[in-house]
Amino acid sequence: MPRLSEVIAALDALWPPSRAEQWDAVGTVCGDPDAEVARVLFAVDPVQEVVDEAVGLGADLLVTHHPLYLRGTTTVSAGTFKGRAVHTLIKNDIALHVAHTNADTADPGVSDALAGALDLRITGPLVPDPTDPQGRRGLGRICELDHPETLREFAARAAARLPRTAQGIRIAGDPDMTVRTVAVSGGSGDSLFAQVRAAGVDVFLTADLRHHPASEAREQSPLALVDAAHWATEWPWCEQAAAQLDAVSERHGWGLRTHVSRTVTDPWTAHAPSATSPTTPGAPN
């Protein structure tokens, strides 16, 4: 079996920490470099439910997309929910490693996995990494559909192919418009509207679209928007990442056993459709 340091070196080769944004917190949070690793669990969020899943699985390493301590900390007291996660991991000899924005821009990265889940043909990155001479790395992906379909049909495709969440799929635009080209970006994407407009695509699929940026984007161009849950747009990366580590394990003869968490860690748990409109008596202002 490989040591943790060997597995981490392989993960860092897939998603170099140097390619993470300066504000990000990626890398190994806890773990003994000399400990042996036989079983690895991939998940989006390092929350207690996922940590407990890792314990029950007998995992030696938990790899998550989202950082545990994005803004730093002065304590890992078990009296805090993040500290309790660290205590649980250490007590059970489980390492935690994070690949966040360095996985977003990788080749393949988070948006490649999202495009793959939607069965889209990738033509290039939305925001190319200027340090990549091959022009494959970068944030987001520009894609094409094999056959044109309506925005309504494309939204149904997303609803059917992405993990189910309470939010589901929201759309902005004419449901009957024709869709041929799509930009996708896993996670929060409303900072990318300028690049999406420049790409000239019909639809932008991402997550966490806020009212004002979305409203302004709709006013500036005929671009349609498809908004899915943040967790749902990033979860496909877990399967892709596990497959990448499987390939490394096979090359080295490590015999690792990789698993992907199916635990839904999207924070929203239910959805109640609106029943009134502003013109309906008794409707809220």
Side-chain angles (χ1 to χ4, degrees), residues 149-160 169-171 205 226:
E149 59 189 35
T150 65
L151 177 59
R152 179 184 290 105
E153 290 169 333
F154 179 73
R157 173 199 293 244
I169 303 295
R170 302 187 300 176
I171 65 173
L205 184 148
V226 176

Short mmCIF file of all heavy atoms in Angstrom, two decimals, residues 149-160 169-171 205 226:
data_model
loop_
_atom_site.label_atom_id
_atom_site.label_comp_id
_atom_site.label_asym_id
_atom_site.label_seq_id
_atom_site.Cartn_x
_atom_site.Cartn_y
_atom_site.Cartn_z
N GLU A 149 -31.82 21.90 -29.39
CA GLU A 149 -33.02 21.62 -28.61
C GLU A 149 -33.50 22.91 -27.97
O GLU A 149 -32.77 23.91 -27.96
CB GLU A 149 -32.76 20.54 -27.56
CG GLU A 149 -31.68 20.86 -26.54
CD GLU A 149 -31.34 19.65 -25.68
OE1 GLU A 149 -31.37 18.51 -26.19
OE2 GLU A 149 -31.02 19.83 -24.49
N THR A 150 -34.71 22.92 -27.47
CA THR A 150 -35.23 24.12 -26.85
C THR A 150 -34.62 24.31 -25.47
O THR A 150 -34.08 23.37 -24.88
CB THR A 150 -36.76 24.05 -26.71
OG1 THR A 150 -37.09 23.01 -25.79
CG2 THR A 150 -37.43 23.82 -28.05
N LEU A 151 -34.71 25.53 -24.97
CA LEU A 151 -34.24 25.81 -23.61
C LEU A 151 -34.98 24.93 -22.61
O LEU A 151 -34.38 24.45 -21.65
CB LEU A 151 -34.43 27.29 -23.29
CG LEU A 151 -34.05 27.74 -21.88
CD1 LEU A 151 -32.58 27.45 -21.59
CD2 LEU A 151 -34.37 29.24 -21.69
N ARG A 152 -36.27 24.73 -22.83
CA ARG A 152 -37.05 23.86 -21.95
C ARG A 152 -36.47 22.44 -21.94
O ARG A 152 -36.32 21.82 -20.88
CB ARG A 152 -38.51 23.84 -22.40
CG ARG A 152 -39.41 22.94 -21.55
CD ARG A 152 -40.81 22.86 -22.09
NE ARG A 152 -41.54 24.13 -21.93
CZ ARG A 152 -41.80 24.98 -22.90
NH1 ARG A 152 -41.39 24.72 -24.14
NH2 ARG A 152 -42.47 26.09 -22.66
N GLU A 153 -36.13 21.94 -23.12
CA GLU A 153 -35.57 20.60 -23.22
C GLU A 153 -34.18 20.52 -22.58
O GLU A 153 -33.83 19.53 -21.93
CB GLU A 153 -35.50 20.16 -24.68
CG GLU A 153 -36.86 19.92 -25.31
CD GLU A 153 -36.79 19.75 -26.82
OE1 GLU A 153 -35.86 20.31 -27.45
OE2 GLU A 153 -37.68 19.07 -27.37
N PHE A 154 -33.40 21.59 -22.77
CA PHE A 154 -32.07 21.59 -22.17
C PHE A 154 -32.15 21.62 -20.65
O PHE A 154 -31.39 20.93 -19.96
CB PHE A 154 -31.26 22.79 -22.66
CG PHE A 154 -29.89 22.86 -22.06
CD1 PHE A 154 -28.90 21.97 -22.45
CD2 PHE A 154 -29.59 23.81 -21.10
CE1 PHE A 154 -27.64 22.01 -21.89
CE2 PHE A 154 -28.33 23.87 -20.53
CZ PHE A 154 -27.34 22.96 -20.92
N ALA A 155 -33.09 22.40 -20.11
CA ALA A 155 -33.27 22.44 -18.66
C ALA A 155 -33.71 21.07 -18.14
O ALA A 155 -33.27 20.62 -17.07
CB ALA A 155 -34.29 23.51 -18.28
N ALA A 156 -34.56 20.39 -18.90
CA ALA A 156 -34.99 19.05 -18.51
C ALA A 156 -33.81 18.09 -18.54
O ALA A 156 -33.71 17.18 -17.70
CB ALA A 156 -36.10 18.56 -19.44
N ARG A 157 -32.91 18.28 -19.51
CA ARG A 157 -31.69 17.46 -19.58
C ARG A 157 -30.87 17.64 -18.30
O ARG A 157 -30.41 16.67 -17.69
CB ARG A 157 -30.86 17.87 -20.80
CG ARG A 157 -29.49 17.21 -20.88
CD ARG A 157 -28.56 17.98 -21.82
NE ARG A 157 -28.99 17.93 -23.20
CZ ARG A 157 -28.27 17.36 -24.18
NH1 ARG A 157 -27.12 16.78 -23.91
NH2 ARG A 157 -28.72 17.38 -25.42
N ALA A 158 -30.70 18.90 -17.89
CA ALA A 158 -29.93 19.17 -16.68
C ALA A 158 -30.61 18.57 -15.45
O ALA A 158 -29.94 17.99 -14.58
CB ALA A 158 -29.75 20.68 -16.50
N ALA A 159 -31.93 18.69 -15.39
CA ALA A 159 -32.67 18.14 -14.25
C ALA A 159 -32.54 16.63 -14.18
O ALA A 159 -32.47 16.04 -13.09
CB ALA A 159 -34.13 18.56 -14.33
N ALA A 160 -32.49 15.98 -15.34
CA ALA A 160 -32.42 14.52 -15.37
C ALA A 160 -31.01 13.99 -15.11
O ALA A 160 -30.85 12.90 -14.55
CB ALA A 160 -32.91 14.02 -16.73
N ILE A 169 -33.87 22.96 -11.03
CA ILE A 169 -33.25 23.76 -12.08
C ILE A 169 -34.12 24.99 -12.35
O ILE A 169 -35.32 24.87 -12.57
CB ILE A 169 -33.12 22.95 -13.39
CG1 ILE A 169 -32.32 21.67 -13.15
CG2 ILE A 169 -32.49 23.80 -14.48
CD1 ILE A 169 -30.87 21.89 -12.76
N ARG A 170 -33.50 26.17 -12.33
CA ARG A 170 -34.20 27.41 -12.67
C ARG A 170 -33.72 27.90 -14.03
O ARG A 170 -32.55 27.74 -14.36
CB ARG A 170 -33.94 28.50 -11.62
CG ARG A 170 -34.35 28.11 -10.20
CD ARG A 170 -34.23 29.29 -9.25
NE ARG A 170 -32.86 29.80 -9.17
CZ ARG A 170 -32.51 30.87 -8.46
NH1 ARG A 170 -33.45 31.57 -7.81
NH2 ARG A 170 -31.25 31.27 -8.42
N ILE A 171 -34.63 28.50 -14.79
CA ILE A 171 -34.22 29.03 -16.10
C ILE A 171 -34.66 30.48 -16.23
O ILE A 171 -35.67 30.90 -15.63
CB ILE A 171 -34.77 28.21 -17.28
CG1 ILE A 171 -36.31 28.29 -17.33
CG2 ILE A 171 -34.32 26.77 -17.19
CD1 ILE A 171 -36.88 27.64 -18.60
N LEU A 205 -24.98 27.75 -18.09
CA LEU A 205 -25.41 26.90 -16.97
C LEU A 205 -24.36 26.98 -15.88
O LEU A 205 -23.19 26.68 -16.11
CB LEU A 205 -25.59 25.45 -17.42
CG LEU A 205 -26.14 24.50 -16.34
CD1 LEU A 205 -26.99 23.40 -16.96
CD2 LEU A 205 -25.03 23.87 -15.48
N VAL A 226 -29.37 29.07 -16.97
CA VAL A 226 -29.84 27.86 -16.30
C VAL A 226 -29.08 27.78 -14.99
O VAL A 226 -27.85 27.68 -14.98
CB VAL A 226 -29.62 26.60 -17.15
CG1 VAL A 226 -30.03 25.36 -16.37
CG2 VAL A 226 -30.39 26.69 -18.46
#
